[in-house]
Amino acid sequence: MKLVVVSAGLSVPSSTRLLADRLAAAVDRHTPVDIEVVELRDLAVEIAHNFTNGFPGRSLAAALDAVTEADGLIVVTPVFSASYSGLFKSFFDVLEKDALAGKPVLIAATGGTARHSLVLDHALRPLFSYLRAVVVPTGVYAASEDWGVEGLPERIERAAGELGALMKGLSAARPREKQTVIPFAEQLAALSPTRSASPSPSGV
């Protein structure tokens, strides 16, 4: 099974990426998965261009394909103005509208204070419910003071166990049908102006 982690952290190193990695490792302990990480920081320019020209760049196209084809997602955002970041929301705005339908998603966020922990239920959960994803019951919020103390590791393990069980259950319940879905990367290649031209007749 394939697990895709979407991290919207902006700094390096990033507490958002740290939380994303710990969640992914915990899921892998419960249910072995192939993990792919999508760093939205690296896609910011292509996401902006997608809004203006309607086409994803190659890196963004690969990230959108990864999310669409995943068996489960972990999504982690830093808190900005008591909500998810604009970069985080913009990425899911350019995703195909049915891409997350029925897909298990673990929501998580990081912030400087525990006062923003309600972002999980007031912002992230409604967003992914609107996208018709299956959001696991336990979300994980990590404030600055949560690192290295009791409570956070237990929440990580509980949420990871729920996502792993949901991925395993949904994967077993639905047969893998072949679908005629053209990946974004192939669509982009078809639109590329660097197509090979037919050879001209000799002497012309």
Side-chain angles (χ1 to χ4, degrees):
M1 288 186 296
K2 181 179 179 180
L3 173 67
V4 172
V5 181
V6 178
S7 171
L10 298 178
S11 59
V12 179
S14 164
S15 60
T16 299
R17 176 61 189 270
L18 176 60
L19 178 58
D21 288 342
R22 290 194 179 182
L23 287 165
V27 172
D28 192 45
R29 287 194 295 272
H30 288 274
T31 305
V33 288
D34 295 322
I35 299 169
E36 179 175 348
V37 178
V38 174
E39 279 279 12
L40 298 188
R41 180 185 63 248
D42 300 332
L43 301 173
V45 173
E46 290 192 19
I47 290 172
H49 286 169
N50 191 97
F51 280 111
T52 58
N53 63 27
F55 297 102
R58 295 190 183 279
S59 297
L60 177 58
L64 295 172
D65 285 338
V67 168
T68 300
E69 296 164 5
D71 294 294
L73 294 178
I74 294 172
V75 297
V76 191
T77 179
V79 174
F80 284 91
S81 300
S83 187
Y84 37 67
S85 72
L87 178 61
F88 181 86
K89 179 61 162 56
S90 295
F91 176 76
F92 290 101
D93 281 342
V94 301
L95 193 66
E96 290 291 331
K97 66 181 182 67
D98 295 325
L100 299 188
K103 197 180 299 294
V105 175
L106 192 167
I107 57 173
T110 58
T113 172
R115 291 197 302 270
H116 291 305
S117 61
L118 290 177
V119 69
L120 296 174
D121 292 320
H122 288 181
L124 285 166
R125 199 174 296 277
L127 171 63
F128 288 95
S129 295
Y130 174 78
L131 295 172
R132 296 190 291 141
V134 181
V135 184
V136 303
T138 301
V140 179
Y141 178 82
S144 299
E145 63 265 26
D146 289 330
W147 299 100
V149 299
E150 292 183 5
L152 180 59
E154 289 78 5
R155 295 199 304 275
I156 288 174
E157 289 297 327
R158 183 167 65 249
E162 291 170 357
L163 180 62
L166 195 54
M167 288 174 63
K168 194 158 48 177
L170 290 177
S171 179
R174 65 173 185 268
R176 292 285 182 180
E177 299 176 356
K178 291 197 173 183
Q179 301 177 350
T180 56
V181 176
I182 302 175
F184 285 105
E186 291 184 18
Q187 295 178 36
L188 190 64
L191 293 169
S192 174
T194 58
R195 299 175 187 166
S196 57
S198 301
S200 301
S202 178
V204 176

